[in-house]
Amino acid sequence: MTTQESPTGSARYGTARVSVDVLAEPEKIWTALVRPISLSAWLGRVVEGNPGPGPGFALEHSQGQTSRHVVRRWERPRRLAMTWNFPDEAPSTVGFDLEVLPEGTRVTVVHENLTDPAAYAAGWHRHLQYLAAHVDGENLPWEDFWNGYDDLRAGYAADDQG
């Protein structure tokens, strides 16, 4: 398994922050962040546009809901930031930072302007597990995505109260 540890993070003040250490080079992780076939393995299926600088793109998620995005920062292979427009939610922003470690790369997701940061922290926690597995060549089954989500959300919600 590529992941050195389970994801860790926090949900406070409208922001979800989740990190995972992955035994892979930043370039390999960057490819998983922006290549449509890779995105479908860990985040959602690209159904419109292209995930890169330009007019934007759309992702269809496991529930059949579509989110829309515009890339705001593209600093290959260390920083990707984009808008996050999900149905029935206020617009928000999400960023991915890749930090080189002595062994591998730390991937940190920071999602801001959220009304329910605990829900997003739990979701990003699971998505980072799927990302790490994908980078390692093993795609996790989508039907297992929500397993343990409620416990993760409760843990992040407790963090938001502190």
Side-chain angles (χ1 to χ4, degrees):
M1 178 64 122
T2 305
T3 308
Q4 293 175 331
E5 301 173 10
S6 288
T8 59
S10 64
R12 293 186 180 148
Y13 313 114
T15 299
R17 177 183 304 270
V18 184
S19 298
V20 67
D21 294 349
V22 181
L23 292 172
E25 298 299 317
E27 190 63 41
K28 188 171 184 179
I29 296 166
W30 181 267
T31 298
L33 293 177
V34 301
R35 188 171 168 229
I37 192 79
S38 293
L39 278 168
S40 68
W42 70 273
L43 184 58
R45 185 172 64 91
V46 176
V47 293
E48 182 182 308
N50 189 34
F57 65 101
L59 293 172
E60 182 180 59
H61 298 273
S62 61
Q63 303 94 338
Q65 292 184 310
T66 301
S67 58
R68 301 198 173 280
H69 315 277
V70 175
V71 172
R72 297 290 186 211
R73 289 182 72 181
W74 180 277
E75 298 172 17
R76 183 182 191 136
R78 56 193 174 121
R79 175 85 171 126
L80 174 67
M82 61 187 165
T83 61
W84 186 269
N85 293 299
F86 206 80
D88 302 322
E89 293 181 8
S92 57
T93 57
V94 64
F96 300 86
D97 291 304
L98 308 181
E99 175 188 349
V100 177
L101 301 174
E103 292 187 35
T105 304
R106 176 165 296 140
V107 181
T108 302
V109 176
V110 178
H111 198 147
E112 300 174 297
N113 304 317
L114 299 168
T115 56
D116 190 350
Y120 266 96
W124 285 118
H125 186 113
R126 293 295 286 145
H127 282 299
L128 287 180
Q129 290 172 320
Y130 276 61
L131 171 66
H134 173 71
V135 168
D136 195 36
E138 175 191 353
N139 291 332
L140 299 176
W142 280 112
E143 58 268 16
D144 293 345
F145 182 83
W146 296 105
N147 293 346
Y149 171 84
D150 290 337
D151 290 338
L152 288 170
R153 184 175 182 183
Y156 283 111
D159 182 51
D160 196 23
Q161 302 301 313

